[in-house]
Amino acid sequence: MKVFWIIGCLVVLAAQMVKGQEEATYAEKLGFPAGKKVVIFHVDDAGMSYESNEGTIKSIESGVATSCSIMMPCPWAASFVKHALQEPMDAGIHLTLTSEWKDYRWHPLSGKEAVPGLVDEEGALWPSVEEVIRNASPDEVEREIRAQIDRALDMGLKPTHLDSHMGTLFYHQPFLERYIKVGVDYGIPVMFPGGNNKLLMRSMNNNLIKQLKKEGSYKEGMELPKNPLADQAPEVGKQIWNSGLPVLDDLHTVSGNWKPDGEPGDEAWGDYKVAQFKSVLTQMEPGLMMIIVHSNGDRKVFDRISSSGGSRYADMLAMTDPDLQQFIEEEGIILTTWQEVMQRRKRAE
């Protein structure tokens, strides 16, 4: 009887251990304390313009931002790379397959002849994700993203990670496969959310509801179409982890949509974003999350490029706001970088 009791205890213990392993966050797998919220505040679009560079640098050197990624085909990319080499920071490559602004365009680094399916009638990259998917082949996509990584490497910068401008590489399965393949080949982490994805799914569902309302097909309480990411992300995350690269537990992407009612001044807009970031940090589950922002150091010139200048300037104000820094410290939130995450992945079993 005693033997059966011992066996029963061992079975229960083993089941608990397996359960614990299954529920372990990627942050815990990387060696961060259990139950902790670990965050990468990440500035997208470095290299797009002088203002983008200025905002990125301020957000990292004087604020809570810990990482950024560079758009290598853009005119101010080389300038940012030089700064990142002089003042080392966590800088990755914002793999760029679209050129979305009307009058401010950029072109594929591999050349039009090498990737004809990636360029529009102006010779620039396509303005939209849909056009890239419709016209470009996976081979062309891989050729171009390798060219962008190689430009950084040729300049002496070892990218800390890869991610995707406008999410283009996540909208088409063959493109996603090439994205992961290239990251593994270079040994560079690829940004991918393969954990609980609580806030990512919430934001995607909210966007879907807005789209359905716009089309007039939304009914209160209706069951939303299931997002394929909900099923695929955990398995893809495991594949990336097993290839030796780190994985995120969650991803927040929608701060660019935050704007208070009316016509807010710059300071009011920045304060509003601080409050929203606090809410996001409160709502997030324990684990490793990347929060994406787009910081500009000045909006006056950038407003000639895009109407997003105000939001981007507010992001910079929020990133450098002492109140947000104090909140992070008081809540015991751990800020990290892609470089640290990759170092931890190399040590993880």
Side-chain angles (χ1 to χ4, degrees), residues 87-104:
E87 302 290 337
M89 63 176 64
D90 195 77
I93 304 300
H94 200 44
L95 298 169
T96 303
L97 300 173
T98 51
S99 179
E100 65 272 26
W101 310 124
K102 179 181 178 181
D103 298 315
Y104 182 62

Side-chain angles (χ1 to χ4, degrees), residues 41-70 76-91 293-298 312 315-317 319-321:
F41 270 109
H42 187 274
V43 187
D44 279 5
D45 294 359
M48 178 187 285
S49 67
Y50 175 84
E51 296 74 28
S52 302
N53 290 1
E54 187 182 26
T56 302
I57 292 166
K58 286 183 178 179
S59 295
I60 293 176
E61 296 183 353
S62 303
V64 300
T66 56
S67 183
C68 65
S69 57
I70 310 166
W76 281 88
S79 176
F80 191 88
V81 170
K82 292 173 184 176
H83 180 87
L85 292 172
Q86 293 170 357
E87 302 290 337
M89 63 176 64
D90 195 77
V293 302
H294 302 82
S295 294
N296 270 8
D298 181 355
R312 291 168 184 257
D315 272 349
M316 187 277 294
L317 293 177
M319 290 295 97
T320 56
D321 193 304

